[in-house]
Amino acid sequence: MLKFFVITSFLLGIAHPLDELKLSSIRHRLNQKLEIFSSFNLPELSKRVFPEPSHHKVILDDSQTTCYNRSIDILPHDGTAQFGDLIESDFSSFCADTFTFYVDNFINEFFVIINTLDALNPRATVYNPIGGEVSSCQDYSTSATQTIHLICNGKSLHGTGTYTVQLAADLNKPCIFEIRAPTKLTVDGGFVEDVRDDDVQQIVLSTANQGIFRFPIENQASYLAFKVESEEFPVHPDEVHLYTNGLFDIKMDLSTRYGCNTPHITQQSYNCTSQNLYHAKFRGYDSDGNRFQRIYDFNCDMSDVVSTTPSGDVSTTPARFCENGGILYNYTKE
């Protein structure tokens, strides 16, 4: 009961004076991303390419990769901060599409956040794994173009499994949505060019809801290495999906590394372009065989740039990360 009161107070803006700033921040961030996605002229949902359905599988790895520079213990980020880690997100051309998302054993309450630029009164209806409508315990509109639904005790009342969210708005205009949940099952890692490299957390301080701490370098093949917090057998990850500019790009299988703080690494390497927007979907199974998914944005760093000045050559490296929960787009802070 106390937990419900705290969450409700948070949404009503009376729990802490910074709450309104958090709401304003997420509205600004989603609007910025929506403007970018709208400019890409993304295809309608029915015309997009999606990864093939996956099944339980065991990756047999005979190479026994061992790290040569085991780093200090990974500093995990806080997956319970703010609205929680990102579980699912997508773009809808007319704010009228239906999407699925996963509720696992490490998720109970979750937030459904819908943003538009001019569609007015965006909203969502959530359905549980057997098709029953899931009522929100709190609906909060920060403006005419953003709505937040809080689903309390979703797992306790409706169980785990594949949920559905149906988007709607008063006008058929683009919108973007996020499913966020406070969770202890999180992912922390980064991109490395050598499969034996364990130096994945080059950003010293962890940031709330951000799990990738070393970004790939443009046009240099790299692998994504990571660890999963709360991973205790049989909980395990089994694949990573990478998205470019909001669209599915590649599904990557995983191998196991030994003597590493980040024991999981993608089998395939990846090349990125600095002008694009990227996010990674880390997927696996919890102790009851439910699919879990966590999503984190990442940037593509440009190679070191050397410029000539009267005093000599100066080498500069672009900023890798925004503090205080910001996301770096084309090297500008939100």
Side-chain angles (χ1 to χ4, degrees), residues 25 37 72 136 147 170 177 205 216 238 242 252-253 288 290-292 300 332-333:
S25 175
F37 283 171
I72 61 174
S136 60
T147 299
D170 289 350
F177 81 94
L205 298 178
D238 72 326
L242 297 187
M252 311 178 86
D253 294 321
D288 290 331
N290 300 301
R291 169 66 78 184
F292 73 75
C300 180
T332 59
K333 286 188 178 181

Side-chain angles (χ1 to χ4, degrees), residues 66 116 121 146 160 202 303 313:
T66 303
T116 73
N121 190 28
Q146 183 189 66
T160 55
Q202 295 189 344
S303 300
D313 292 341

Side-chain angles (χ1 to χ4, degrees), residues 100-103 127-130 160-164 291:
T100 59
F101 64 96
Y102 304 104
V103 172
Y127 299 94
N128 63 27
I130 61 174
T160 55
T162 304
Y163 281 61
T164 303
R291 169 66 78 184

